[in-house]
Amino acid sequence: PTRTQIINVTPVAVPGRSLITSATVTNPDKNTMMKVEWQTPNAGDPATYFQLAYESCGTLAVPICSGTPTITMYSGCTSSHIDCTLNPSCDPLIRTCNPPCAGATNEGPGASGLACTFDGRSGTVMQLQKSTFFRFYVYAGNTAGLGLASQSFPISSLSSNPLVVPKTFGLPASVTALVVSSVTETSVTLTWSPSSCIGTCIYLVTWDPPTPGGLNATGIKSTSYVHTVDFSSVSTGYTYRVFAGDNSTGLYEDFGASVYLPRAATSFKVTIASTNSLSFSWVPDPLADTFQVLMSSGLAFRAASAETSSTVAKVQGLAEGLAFNFKVASRVAGRTPFEFIGSNVVRALPSDFAPPPSNLTVQATSASGIQLRWDQGTAGPVRYKVEYREVTGGSSDAFGFPQDVEILAGGGLSTFITGLDGQKTYDFRVFSGSFRGYETAGSNILSGAQPVGVPQDLSVRGVNRDSATIDWLPPSQGQVPRSYRIQYVLADLITEIADVQHLGGNLATQSALVTPLQQASHTIRVFSRAQGGFYQPLGTLPVIVAPLIVPTGMRVTSIGPHHISLAWDISPEVLTAPAFLVPSAYRIDFEQRATRAKNTTMELSPDTSSVTIAHLETNTEYEFVLKAKSQSGTFQSGLGQNPVIVTPQGAPSNLRVNGVSATFVSLVWEAPSQGILPA
């Protein structure tokens, strides 16, 4: 006899019933979307997927369900009901294929005609009717098929408590026609078309970045809003969004409408000049799409070119040799007016000559010279001419002392003017030159500059938990500064102490107490101020200062012919102070006072309160300073802590009484056995 092939079959049963635990409206559209959560079955075989069904229970005050559950099915790609251009969290598939659910494993264009399948314990049903009650069911399935539907959610009687029945929101539609209708120096006015609401419409307006007045305004009942801003000096781009809400519920829809007011363009400059025209270019705000060049001979600007979507423009019909101020304004076509401030202003004149330089400033100074720098904005010039004049008694002479400046390719636009008198004040201006000669408009006039040297040898004398004392020397050459400015920087916060008066002679060490200091490392510079009031711009090399709890009371505990033992007191504050103020190590800096030969000990642990320094020269005077290491790694001495000055030498020994009488005692001792005998 024969037999067939034997196969092993493992019977699989369908899963048991799941249990729905919640159903709530969800973003991005609470009018048409609900998220359902459930538990896996605790009976039957394990479930490998789940499907959702729901039935509509009407829009009346008391829910009445249809009794016919509908399983969520894909029906192919249709137009989207979600505006994903305003909501970056949207799934692209939602925008293109409009599925009835989200989070399903078989989501996509190829799922047409299939039920939404979930492999987790939650799923989102979409395309629900607005302001409607719903009851939900979940089916657990595996390879054997679908199990029985769960009990409905909610289980309780619908008519006895309609509040427990999940219901989609009836939020109003987003507003339309949102625009910026006007912009002034202090305000931005928004207007929009009203939405349709069950009760009275209210609106929520938000803006980014925030302003001192906050970041939103709620409960607005009109279809316009005036946002208070400050465009007096800085151009800021704002993104505005308006959300419609219903006063009867106090809820706002989730999509909103948005409009962007662009910031001003930057790097506005002349690119080509002719006898009656000027061409400009600029770097725009990426979201601006319409631009216009403006011109002015005084305060008021007027249109100088047609509106353009390009980032270059040409202004024609200008009078040769007559200079005007130019800038470019930006807007979003059909949505905003031109922003208020406009770009940087360029003063230019139509000519075959090169455009004049701009932004002439002092870059550095010395005791007898001033380094100037400027901007050009175009590659036209091949040389520059610097002129200056002396300012005496409040009046100025005519500009003179012309100096030609050749700028090599790739070189910076700067030059150093030497041979100046440190007691005098000067005005400067710069002219651009081409092969036809120098233009005549010139740069801005730089007024009131003075040669003044840079302070020398800035150092930190000592610190405590919130202060530091710094020392420096006056400039090594030239006039003594009238005063100094101390600048200390913490991250982006710059604090300045102005007009710290010079004290003493030409070479006298200058000092200042810098307080209060934050619990962080600060960068400190000192700047000289000339007798005429001009501050040199560079200042000293920076020093790093960190507040610190430094030990006190350093003292000598023993002396030998070749060693010194020192001890100090550690403040009990270190036990409770913030970590930044607690030293991470100590060291002793010491030097021979005669030769100034310097040395230092190894780092000592922060709980060390004494040290012995060996290998010293006997009968040689030394100076010792205790320094503590901050968390930033700098070693600093304590504020008000004086150095210890001591001389290593042998000690006498064997002191004894040699004889006594009624009026005296005779003592003898042995001289030191090591080192040089005491004088």
Side-chain angles (χ1 to χ4, degrees), residues 617-632:
E617 294 185 19
T618 188
N619 281 15
T620 301
E621 193 173 49
Y622 285 86
E623 182 177 295
F624 298 87
V625 176
L626 171 64
K627 292 190 174 182
K629 184 179 183 181
S630 69
Q631 300 297 327
S632 60

Side-chain angles (χ1 to χ4, degrees), residues 543-583:
V543 296
I544 305 299
V545 174
L548 203 60
I549 301 174
V550 182
T552 57
M554 188 171 74
R555 57 201 177 273
V556 177
T557 57
S558 71
I559 302 176
H562 298 291
H563 80 272
I564 296 290
S565 294
L566 302 168
W568 52 87
D569 300 322
I570 299 175
S571 172
E573 288 183 290
V574 299
L575 300 177
T576 58
F580 190 87
L581 298 176
V582 178

